[in-house]
Amino acid sequence: MIQQAPAGMRRIASGDRYRWQDDAACRGADTELFFTPGYESVAKAICAQCPVRAECLDYAVSRPEKYGMWGGLDEQELAAERKRRQRQATSRKEVAA
């Protein structure tokens, strides 16, 4: 269920699982900063001071988010992080077997 968020920032989901969004440094910021080429440095600066950066990154990595800045990572960095985590999970499974 999507809920309205103030000042152009869309709430991704509802419930306690996504409560971290309420504390995001980007809350209320123009989404264009996070989805338009040329604004990467501005978006990264906002993400760098965000208290829920890790939660944002975990959210994006666990979903097919291909576009925009998430958890301080741009699109290419996010794809690389997703692959890194997949390799890490595979390694853990192999060790456990």
Side-chain angles (χ1 to χ4, degrees):
M1 176 180 195
I2 297 175
Q3 297 177 350
Q4 268 316 82
M9 194 64 163
R10 173 174 77 84
R11 186 174 180 94
I12 298 168
S14 64
D16 289 338
R17 183 174 179 191
Y18 302 103
R19 184 86 39 190
W20 59 267
Q21 295 172 11
D22 295 335
D23 297 324
C26 63
R27 184 124 174 107
D30 186 347
T31 55
E32 184 175 331
L33 296 174
F34 301 92
F35 292 94
T36 305
Y39 290 107
E40 290 92 353
S41 61
V42 175
K44 282 187 178 251
I46 293 169
C47 292
Q49 64 180 346
C50 186
V52 293
R53 182 178 175 184
E55 291 87 342
C56 179
L57 182 57
D58 289 344
Y59 171 87
V61 167
S62 68
R63 285 160 180 75
E65 296 293 352
K66 292 183 181 180
Y67 305 104
M69 182 75 59
W70 293 90
L73 302 184
D74 64 26
E75 295 164 3
Q76 291 80 25
E77 293 166 331
L78 182 60
E81 176 65 12
R82 187 176 285 117
K83 288 178 185 176
R84 184 191 71 76
R85 290 185 186 195
Q86 288 171 345
R87 284 191 308 268
Q88 192 176 44
T90 300
S91 293
R92 276 192 232 125
K93 287 179 185 177
E94 291 172 356
V95 169

